[in-house]
Amino acid sequence: MSSIVRTKELFPMMPYSTKLCRIVGFWSDASQPRAHWRVYAFEVLFTMMLIIPGTVFIIRQDTDLVILLKATFEVVSFFMFDIRFLVHVSHCDTLKACYYELQEALTTFVDSPHEDVRGVLKKLQQVSGWSKYYHLAVFCQIQLYGPVGVVASVVMYMIGKIDVEDLPNPFIEVDYLFFNHRSSFWMWLLIAVISVLLEYAMLTLFVTNETTHWGLLYHVSGLFKIIGMELTRLDACVDADQYINKLGKLVEIHEAGYRCAARLEHALHNVVALLYGFCITQICYIMFVMTLTDDVFILGGMIFVAQYLTFMIFSFSMFSNEMMDTSTSLTNIIYGTRWYERSAREMQCVFFVLMRTQKGVAITAGKFFPISRRTFAMAMRNAVSYLALMRQFYGDS
């Protein structure tokens, strides 16, 4: 694809997500092919301030069932999220190669005279701009899982409703082995502020990771849509050489789209398998905990995490489904042209392209099955079934 586009201004693809990638360290310039040290620093901070103290809390504390279930859920969640970040870092070069090749392929159509093609490019830019609103929405929802509880605890302490020993753990259930963060109010407040800042940093990493993957998947689907639009215009070519040249360029761009989809599958198949298994069990786990408590802060945090996990696998399923549909639709589009009116040489080229378009693309869960709307519905159904089973065992005990 590097020979196709050199003189045009590059298509502005996913500006907000790529900016976030550079800020947090997921994305670096061409001179720095690997991830930045900042993302590794975040990983160390999360481990030292959240995962290890959370594990210590589970081991050392003798408390009620709901708190222990909540603490276990939090530690497992952060461990899984750490794995997601490490996978993103390990496939940083793959994602960057996908981005740049996809950007060049889309740039080919920037000056297209056709309104439908320009409409797809405009829609791609609009959807990319929605990333910042998603980021804002997640930040607004996360307030119940930490900041609101911290503020409420400070107010209750100031008016004498609770003592220092009764101050709750900020953000998640933790026990710092080498010091007692409830030894004084100011020590607790310092840990609370650090925990909330880590929460916001972690959330920024989540959003960056997700919007980058979603954006790339959506742009690959957009590229296949544009290729389909251009294939429908092959009948307008009256000259055989013009027909073959245009078909050859579309084949080259189509191959670029396939390579980008293959890179995304390589970078995401393990993550998607992890997310599907993790989300099914954790959504079931969250709903089970919610049936055992009426604490408003625990319920608020659980509801946020449940809808967040659900939306995450729903989005991956929808984007994968759309990419699969748009790639396979090219077969019907090219078959619907008047290829039968062409010469033997032109028909031979069409049949060659027809065979290539029959090779569909999709994101799979661990190479086992392609994810789609159907697999998302099955995942939600399994989560509810497991919840009913857990409630039955809990009631019997």
Side-chain angles (χ1 to χ4, degrees):
M1 279 300 301
S2 60
S3 62
I4 293 180
V5 180
R6 283 303 178 195
T7 59
K8 297 179 182 178
E9 183 179 353
L10 290 175
F11 177 70
M13 199 174 97
M14 301 164 50
Y16 182 75
S17 297
T18 53
K19 182 179 180 180
L20 277 181
C21 281
R22 290 186 174 91
I23 290 174
V24 303
F26 277 150
W27 200 282
S28 56
D29 296 326
S31 58
Q32 268 185 317
R34 296 293 176 183
H36 199 271
W37 62 267
R38 282 191 297 272
V39 72
Y40 298 108
F42 286 141
E43 289 284 338
V44 173
L45 281 174
F46 293 154
T47 302
M48 299 300 295
M49 294 296 296
L50 300 177
I51 296 178
I52 294 178
T55 305
V56 173
F57 177 88
I58 296 170
I59 296 173
R60 297 184 65 190
Q61 297 298 319
D62 183 16
T63 184
D64 63 89
L65 176 63
V66 173
I67 299 299
L68 284 177
L69 288 174
K70 177 176 179 288
T72 303
F73 161 75
E74 290 166 344
V75 170
V76 173
S77 298
F78 288 126
F79 180 73
M80 292 297 179
F81 287 137
D82 268 354
I83 294 177
R84 280 177 54 194
F85 297 150
L86 291 175
V87 170
H88 190 126
V89 170
S90 65
H91 291 99
C92 178
D93 292 346
T94 302
L95 294 173
K96 286 176 63 177
C98 174
Y99 173 87
Y100 289 124
E101 183 162 22
L102 192 56
Q103 187 181 44
E104 282 198 3
L106 290 170
T107 304
T108 308
F109 303 101
V110 166
D111 298 328
S112 173
H114 305 292
E115 185 65 29
D116 54 353
V117 173
R118 294 199 303 271
V120 173
L121 294 177
K122 184 178 180 180
K123 184 66 177 296
L124 291 176
Q125 290 179 282
Q126 289 176 344
V127 173
S128 295
W130 294 349
S131 299
K132 62 184 70 174
Y133 301 113
Y134 171 70
H135 197 169
L136 179 62
V138 175
F139 259 82
C140 290
Q141 294 180 36
I142 197 64
Q143 302 309 309
L144 281 177
Y145 212 95
V148 172
V150 170
V151 173
S153 299
V154 170
V155 172
M156 293 177 68
Y157 175 81
M158 292 299 181
I159 64 178
K161 291 288 186 180
I162 57 175
D163 297 326
V164 175
E165 295 80 9
D166 299 323
L167 287 169
N169 278 312
F171 184 25
I172 69 169
E173 305 299 334
V174 291
D175 183 358
Y176 297 98
L177 184 62
F178 300 105
F179 65 92
N180 181 11
H181 59 289
R182 293 191 184 91
S183 59
S184 70
F185 172 75
W186 297 110
M187 173 64 76
W188 176 89
L189 185 61
L190 175 63
I191 296 299
V193 171
I194 294 174
S195 298
V196 170
L197 291 177
L198 277 176
E199 177 185 7
Y200 288 146
M202 180 184 62
L203 200 63
T204 301
L205 286 172
F206 291 168
V207 173
T208 304
N209 173 267
E210 291 150 15
T211 56
T212 300
H213 292 157
W214 295 341
L216 291 173
L217 288 170
Y218 187 68
H219 280 73
V220 171
S221 300
L223 179 62
F224 285 139
K225 285 182 182 178
I226 294 175
I227 293 172
M229 294 172 181
E230 293 296 324
L231 285 173
T232 60
R233 299 187 177 94
L234 285 173
D235 291 336
C237 300
V238 294
D239 181 75
D241 290 335
Q242 181 187 11
Y243 184 91
I244 293 174
N245 288 337
K246 183 171 183 177
L247 190 60
K249 290 180 180 179
L250 290 177
V251 167
E252 187 177 354
I253 298 172
H254 186 237
E255 277 297 302
Y258 266 134
R259 285 194 297 269
C260 290
R263 290 188 181 108
L264 288 174
E265 160 65 6
H266 175 68
L268 293 178
H269 71 273
N270 288 327
V271 172
V272 170
L274 177 68
L275 286 178
Y276 256 78
F278 174 66
C279 288
I280 292 172
T281 56
Q282 292 300 80
I283 288 173
C284 173
Y285 189 91
I286 289 168
M287 290 189 292
F288 177 71
V289 173
M290 289 169 62
T291 64
L292 301 178
T293 182
D294 57 359
D295 186 290
V296 64
F297 292 112
I298 293 179
L299 287 174
M302 294 290 103
I303 291 172
F304 164 76
V305 176
Q307 64 87 26
Y308 174 76
L309 292 174
T310 304
F311 180 75
M312 188 164 49
I313 64 169
F314 170 76
S315 300
F316 272 111
S317 301
M318 292 298 292
F319 285 124
S320 173
N321 198 106
E322 182 174 1
M323 187 176 70
M324 188 164 42
D325 289 345
T326 54
S327 65
T328 55
S329 67
L330 298 180
T331 301
N332 294 330
I333 290 174
I334 194 168
Y335 189 77
T337 62
R338 296 197 301 272
W339 53 269
Y340 46 83
E341 298 178 358
R342 297 288 172 175
S343 65
R345 178 186 172 210
E346 293 169 296
M347 289 174 61
Q348 185 179 10
C349 294
V350 170
F351 291 152
F352 175 71
V353 175
L354 192 63
M355 291 175 58
R356 297 168 75 89
T357 57
Q358 290 176 347
K359 183 180 67 174
V361 296
I363 302 301
T364 65
K367 300 289 187 180
F368 292 109
F369 58 89
I371 60 172
S372 62
R373 291 189 295 265
R374 182 172 176 272
T375 56
F376 170 76
M378 291 176 59
M380 294 299 100
R381 185 176 60 189
N382 290 336
V384 175
S385 300
Y386 296 151
L387 172 63
L389 189 62
M390 289 177 65
R391 288 295 300 167
Q392 182 179 354
F393 283 143
Y394 180 73
D396 292 343
S397 63

